[in-house]
Amino acid sequence: MKIGSLFAGIGGIDLGFEQAGFEVAWANEIDKYACMTYRANFPETLLIESNIRNVDFSQLEKVDVLTAGFPCQPFSVCGKKQGFSDERGNLFFEIMRAADALQPPIIFLENVANLTEHDNGKTFNIIHNELVSRGYIIRYIVADACDYGVPQHRTRTYIVAFKDEDASKRFKFPEKCTLNKHIADVIDMTKEADKSLYYDENSYEYKKLSAAITDSNQIYRFSDYGIQKSKDGISFTLKANMGTWYNRIPIIKDNFGIRKVSPYECLALMGFPKGFVFGNISEKSKYKQCGNSVTVELIKMIAENIKNNNIKLKQGENCVIN
């Protein structure tokens, strides 16, 4: 099975589907720095670096699944919550334009948890109606990544829409599982990191942190309310503002001092494998890309269920997916 990826970012959704056995036929992303990281990890994939509004979808290969982690800021509780009145929110209708041209049997969408509640549910109703009017049947879940094996609280809305009614009935989202990995399992506290990440012991920040850090198995960060501490060895949500405000980068105490978590450690907390690399970009861009991405392991689990569901359909009499 093949996917076409919209708002691909650095490829978190694509990687999850690829790990589940899908092939990425093509991808679209506008951010040049995200494209640099994408190309470093998907060198064989056709990447269209362009505003989605300029993409001629009729010229692209048809796919089994159209995926899109479309811009979340218009719907996020951390943003202005302008929804479809925000230019970025209107980009959802570009996904529908792609669907009209490509007629994919399945559409997979990812967005913030607040998507279902935004504007008293009116936003989600619009998304629902746009899909239903095109013959799709919707399944969705609001899920926290830490309930699916990822040591980070990251609650997101996942939508899987099927053209085939039998496929929609057969499909099930992954079951919650026991969290066996925690912060200390992902970040090696016994290995010294780059010296630039450590706070100077004479600095004001170090003194505040030293007094606040009581558990080296937790992760910390500066917030509007002081120093925030995680619980149960699970990271709080990694945000894109790590790349804008340096003091919002998560902090740990390892065997060598108090330091910021590195961009690659942020990737690990998102479920990215060790072989994943950044493009030739700034440190700020690396942090921003982490906060803008997805938890790969949960995407993989959903993709596996989509694939297994499709295999069952192919063995039945009502198969409409080729």
Side-chain angles (χ1 to χ4, degrees), residues 176-222:
K176 293 181 180 180
C177 60
T178 303
L179 181 62
N180 294 318
K181 288 191 300 184
H182 296 82
I183 294 167
D185 299 309
V186 173
I187 301 176
D188 189 352
M189 308 291 185
T190 66
K191 184 179 179 181
E192 187 173 15
D194 189 285
K195 294 188 182 298
S196 64
L197 295 171
Y198 289 91
Y199 284 93
D200 187 319
E201 293 185 5
N202 296 316
S203 67
Y204 170 76
E205 292 87 352
Y206 180 90
K207 292 174 182 177
K208 286 196 69 174
L209 288 165
S210 182
I213 295 178
T214 57
D215 186 350
S216 59
N217 290 317
Q218 306 301 331
I219 203 165
Y220 297 77
R221 69 177 170 192
F222 288 105

Side-chain angles (χ1 to χ4, degrees), residues 62-90:
K62 291 193 174 183
V63 292
D64 299 286
V65 186
L66 180 66
T67 70
F70 59 109
C72 64
Q73 294 91 340
F75 313 108
S76 173
V77 295
C78 295
K80 295 181 180 179
K81 296 186 282 187
Q82 293 179 321
F84 290 126
S85 63
D86 186 314
E87 183 179 356
R88 295 167 299 180
N90 281 323

